[in-house]
Amino acid sequence: MNFILNHKWADGNTPIRQEDAEQLIPRISTMRELNEYEGLNILEAREWAFSGRTMTSANPLEESYVRTLHSKMFDQV
């Protein structure tokens, strides 16, 4: 059997190191929580990226656009 499947920290319950958790905006303690917050941020960034206003005013190949998109993907985490 796979060690990971039997491990008490399987399924996203891996604790986040204290020094890493201190750098996060929401107070979270497991990788599952971190993944959920990041997923929600990415969905919000996707809405921004594909909105009509953004699509007509931004060039997705410009560095400034990519930096803004990346920031929006992780700004709440």
Side-chain angles (χ1 to χ4, degrees):
M1 269 201 168
N2 187 336
F3 171 75
I4 299 288
L5 296 177
N6 293 325
H7 197 271
K8 67 179 179 178
W9 291 331
D11 299 325
N13 290 326
T14 304
I16 297 175
R17 295 182 322 169
Q18 183 63 32
E19 56 269 18
D20 293 335
E22 290 171 357
Q23 296 177 25
L24 299 172
I25 295 171
R27 289 292 162 215
I28 59 177
S29 58
T30 65
M31 290 301 295
R32 174 182 284 155
E33 292 172 332
L34 178 60
N35 292 338
E36 288 176 10
Y37 275 101
E38 286 180 346
L40 292 172
N41 279 318
I42 290 170
L43 289 175
E44 290 178 17
R46 181 176 180 238
E47 288 181 28
W48 171 82
F50 290 109
S51 71
R53 184 176 185 152
T54 303
M55 293 293 289
T56 59
S57 66
N59 179 353
L61 301 178
E62 289 183 3
E63 181 180 348
S64 62
Y65 172 85
V66 175
R67 288 184 178 275
T68 301
L69 178 59
H70 185 267
S71 175
K72 289 182 176 293
M73 291 171 69
F74 299 103
D75 68 345
Q76 297 178 34
V77 182

